Amino acid sequence: MKVVVVGDAGLDVVARHEGPIVHGGDSRSRVRLAGGGAGANTAVWLAEAGVETTLVARVGDDAGGRTVRAELEAAGVSCAFAVDGEAPTCVVVVLVDGSGQRSMLPDRGAMARFEPADIDPAVLAGADHLHLSGYVLLDPSSRPAGLAALAAAKEAGLTTSVDPQAAALITDPRAFLADVRGTDLLLPNTEELLALTGSASSPAAKALLDDVGAVVVTAGLDGATWVSADGEVSVPAEEAECVDSTGAGDAFDAGVLAAWLRGSSTVDVLRSGVRLGARAVTKVGAQP
């Protein structure tokens, strides 16, 4: 079983602060540098789950890009990277409060220049599935590459999945749904489902089945739900101390895909996603 992930790879600067941030002043925090990028996060969690994984991305010709590649390869992820000689590697500043909730300041850097030529058809050879991070589609500059990746995967006979990734960036839901039409799995959280449909309810998810094969919705403490033509299945969340919620959805995606591609039952697929999502929030950083 082989999965190709298309999405951002970069570095997260994670700052944990207990109290409010003082505007124009100093706020004590604990800061660390960690691997990040939604595509890279899902790829590493897939490798952690025992899935052969290749990540397709664009990084800068800089220390950050070399560090990202080395850490991903050490984690068992193959890197099919285009190297940009002008733009820097993606960096995200992640502000994590005392409850573990995060706010992000992303600079996609080289990944904003991701283009169809960065997708080598040979990478898809022998693969079973392609997973696309929605950030690629939601940025007009990289959208053509995201569409090209989905088209190439379908032509090669791969199954496909998309995580919408960022509710605040879904400004044209009709266009986004048109982009992902024909995808096997759409993996939104409730906020993204609301942005796409105007509702976070199960009927809203069912309405998306005209465009995609199944909708897998994460709802934080309320667990996760699988909605398809065969019906609706839900599982509860797993209890976990939330230290840093960054990347929980990316880990959930990996758990779902690993179990689904192995032919597990729908309940077990959801439990696999919830399990990895719960693991992700117990530590600082988005990767295992």
Side-chain angles (χ1 to χ4, degrees), residues 20-241:
I21 295 177
V22 179
H23 179 68
D26 296 343
S27 303
R28 293 191 182 278
S29 61
R30 287 169 286 172
V31 181
R32 63 166 291 184
L33 190 65
N41 297 340
T42 297
V44 175
W45 282 104
L46 278 166
E48 174 81 358
V51 178
E52 181 182 354
T53 306
T54 297
L55 176 63
V56 179
R58 188 180 184 97
V59 298
D61 184 12
D62 52 24
R66 291 185 285 275
T67 297
V68 168
R69 179 189 291 271
E71 292 190 350
L72 288 170
E73 290 178 345
V77 176
S78 297
C79 297
F81 286 175
V83 178
D84 194 309
E86 299 179 8
T89 298
C90 168
V91 175
V92 181
V93 176
V94 184
L95 307 177
V96 183
D97 65 20
S99 68
Q101 296 305 307
R102 94 291 187 273
S103 300
M104 298 196 299
L105 304 173
D107 179 350
R108 297 188 71 220
M111 197 61 195
R113 292 153 58 99
F114 188 53
E115 58 185 17
D118 294 338
I119 304 164
D120 183 354
V123 173
L124 301 179
D128 301 289
H129 184 85
L130 181 135
H131 175 73
L132 176 66
S133 165
Y135 285 121
V136 179
L137 293 175
L138 292 171
D139 191 331
S141 63
S142 58
R143 177 173 171 266
L147 295 175
L150 289 173
K154 291 171 186 175
E155 184 176 349
L158 279 61
T159 53
T160 56
S161 57
V162 177
D163 184 330
Q165 218 73 70
L169 300 180
I170 301 174
T171 56
D172 189 341
R174 288 186 180 180
F176 185 86
L177 290 173
D179 286 349
V180 302
R181 184 168 292 125
T183 299
D184 293 282
L185 298 181
L186 185 66
L187 298 147
N189 62 27
T190 51
E191 291 180 352
E192 292 153 7
L193 180 60
L194 178 63
L196 288 171
T197 67
S199 171
S201 66
S202 292
K206 291 177 183 177
L208 296 179
L209 298 180
D210 290 338
D211 298 306
V212 299
V215 182
V216 189
V217 185
T218 55
L221 296 176
D222 292 325
T225 299
W226 177 290
V227 179
S228 71
D230 295 328
E232 179 181 325
V233 178
S234 297
V235 301
E238 286 193 5
E239 289 189 12
E241 180 184 1

Side-chain angles (χ1 to χ4, degrees), residues 6-27:
V6 178
D8 294 36
L11 296 170
D12 287 351
V13 181
V14 185
R16 295 188 66 209
H17 59 96
E18 296 298 330
I21 295 177
V22 179
H23 179 68
D26 296 343
S27 303

